[in-house]
Amino acid sequence: MRKILVGMSTCGMSAGAKDTYAKLESLLPEDSPHELTITGCIGMCFREPLVEIREGGTRTIYGDVDPKRAEEIFEKHIQGGREIPEYVIYKVEDDKPVGGQELAFLAGQERIVLRNCGLINPESIEDYEDRGGYQATRKAIEEMAPEQIIEEMKTSGLRGRGGAGFPTGLKWSFAAGYSGEAKYVVCNADEGDPGAFMDRSVLEGDPHAVLEGMIICARAIGGTHGYIYCRAEYPLAIHRLQLAIEAARERGYLGRNIMGTDFDFDISIKQGAGAFVCGEETALFASIEGERGMPRIRPPFPAESGVFGQPTNNNNVETYANVPWIINNGGQAYRSYGTEKSPGTKVFALAGKIAKGGLAEVPMGMTIEEILFGIGGGIKDGREFKAVQMGGPSGGCIPAELKHTPVDFENIPKTGAIMGSGGMVVMDDTTCMVDMARFFLTFTQEESCGKCTFCRIGTLRMLEILERITRGEGQPGDVEALTELGGRIKEASLCGLGQTAPNPVLSTIRYYMDEFKAHIEDHSCPAGNCPALVDFIIDPQKCTGCSICAKNCPVDAISGTLKHPFVIDTEACVQCGKCITSCSFDAIFKTGKKVAAR
Amino acid sequence: MVSTDFSYRLWRHDGTPGELIPLLQSAQEHFGYIPRRAIRYISEVTKTPESKIYGVITFYSQFRLQPMGKNVIRLCTGTACHVANSGVLLDTLQDELGVEVGGTTEDGVFTLFSVACIGCCSLAPVMMVNDDTQGKLTPARTRKIVRKIRRQTLASERQAQATSDAETAPAAD
């Protein structure tokens, strides 16, 4: 009997996994001895859709499986038992990776959080239990006192994976120290950083691991009810969580008298309604309470007064997913990964101009270069590595010169970026850093809740300056004004959003002053990106001479003869971009002015 | 599983705190947007002033006070998509549809939104049309997709119209 697993998480489905699944389902006769099922994301987004054939201890993973390829795999491998080596991207025998085209991507990883992702059917609690699921809960309830659980968490040295890196064991001990009518265990699943999707993959691929982490936390701190605050933009994650909660209730892991003890605990899901600031814990609590999601002053800290004014512990998805592993294997075992001050592993979402975009879980302390080039396969299309953005709108850009920086809670902040939740967006030489700074500020400016004046108005003023610079209307003194405003906003904002909003701008000023100068003084964009500062050019190879661009040009700067390549008069062009968006053949592109002159 | 049906939720509301946002979400699911009367119902059962409900609605980007088009386009403008030139796609969509972000076309076929990251970064730039994600877009491909959906939507509307006409006047085929 062969087990066929199709990777069905959001990334897989958007690459066409539904069609692949439907194809295999239609091919498989009803009385077939083989079993077709689904699984979560294994992290190789760049080769989706993925199909795995499992037979005994051998797992063969095929990449880029469209329905046509699925048919071939069905005939040759599933029915014929013959592997198709040219499609195999990863092969495992008895838990040891043995080959496949993408061996390097997975071989360098240590999977603790993602231990079950891509291996089990996330909609089946039996699959999870077969992989040792809920044993940690049993151990925590039957063999450990609450203080012992907290001690074990302290030993592990696990630090919050949401970005701030606060020691989890310590946080739990605070919450354990307060009492109230109720005590809440909150899971922050409001993954809002653009460019980060690891929490989504965990929720979609291994929802029970998160539930288990929350149950153990509740046991340790005396929690009475749990909330998972999940983005409404993640419908599949919410669906799978809902299924997982129901299954856990049926099995007696949630509800009253858990495992025959007097321990009662249940979890409900709260859907976020779209506000980035709700990633900040006090704003998240306000949102759970049904209010506008605006942060409040601390102290009192959540451990004393959180949701509905009751003691509350809040961790993010990845943090909770680590907990069952730590309880099962011990805090010391967890410490054997990573560095002294940042123990364990971290999941990173690799995106942007990287050859192999996806999810990678690596021990803390690996260098940026090892992650991007060793695992991520380097830069897309063989271009030049310029920078990596970490920490989303709260973080900063780390330039290529610093690629030997170890990725952990000590070294990343020294570069001006932050660990953040783990998004790594890679930029190559075609990315304009001034434009990136403007991009992040557009985001934070829109998402500012408006409570603190500096965050509300200061970010807008900074954005106006940056917009002016990218239009080629920069003035002397602009950079100084940005730096000053940035410093003030950081000082005078209440929550993490405002305190970090200027980071992307300040870090780009720090490393890419020459690009700011080029925009302000020379009115040019070295990366050839900012529309007002570049030339528009028609690729004669792609142009069919259809004349659509010429008809759309508001200043008649495009001319030519029908059925022959057209040309743009760069002197007359006003860089409105109409021609690019109207071309049916993607034949028009932007180029830096210097390149054009050559 | 707890029903998310709007009237059911209204009916069973027992004063549990924190129910305002789930109620608004089910209202939006039911009506496609949050109409004035839904705000009135919610205000009555939760004993919350309408002004406060309005404040919550306008705070969160998920809630709409206007009906939406038959197809909803969500263009991703997250970091990875931005680096992959999603800005040009936004111009293309605004030009093709003749609406700004948040707007609905005159024929009611499309509503255009931009979203920050739908988590398909390796397929950037992407957009979601209703529940389908379309990846690796270019301006030309984007226009093609939009035009195809507009044709399909209008054709099915015409067909529905024809069927109802045929029912009223069977001879006028």
Side-chain angles (χ1 to χ4, degrees), chain A residues 18-36:
Chain A
K18 269 188 193 164
D19 296 339
T20 305
Y21 187 87
K23 185 81 201 172
L24 287 167
E25 201 175 25
S26 72
L27 289 169
L28 216 59
E30 255 179 47
D31 55 349
S32 167
H34 310 303
E35 185 194 346
L36 177 66

Side-chain angles (χ1 to χ4, degrees), chain A residues 153-210:
Chain A
M153 293 307 295
K154 282 187 182 166
T155 312
S156 75
L158 174 67
R159 298 173 66 168
R161 296 297 193 242
F166 193 81
T168 307
L170 195 60
K171 200 181 218 179
W172 288 15
S173 71
F174 292 154
Y178 288 96
S179 53
E181 287 163 34
K183 196 180 273 188
Y184 294 105
V185 176
V186 176
C187 174
N188 182 349
D190 191 44
E191 184 172 57
D193 283 11
F197 51 93
M198 49 267 136
D199 289 353
R200 195 209 66 212
S201 289
V202 174
L203 293 171
E204 288 177 359
D206 195 11
H208 285 287
V210 181

Side-chain angles (χ1 to χ4, degrees), chain A residues 416 454 485-495 498-503 506:
Chain A
F454 277 83
L485 270 169
R488 301 278 160 125
I489 294 168
K490 285 175 82 140
E491 274 167 35
S493 298
L494 197 57
C495 82
Q499 286 161 7
T500 59
N503 282 355
L506 299 179

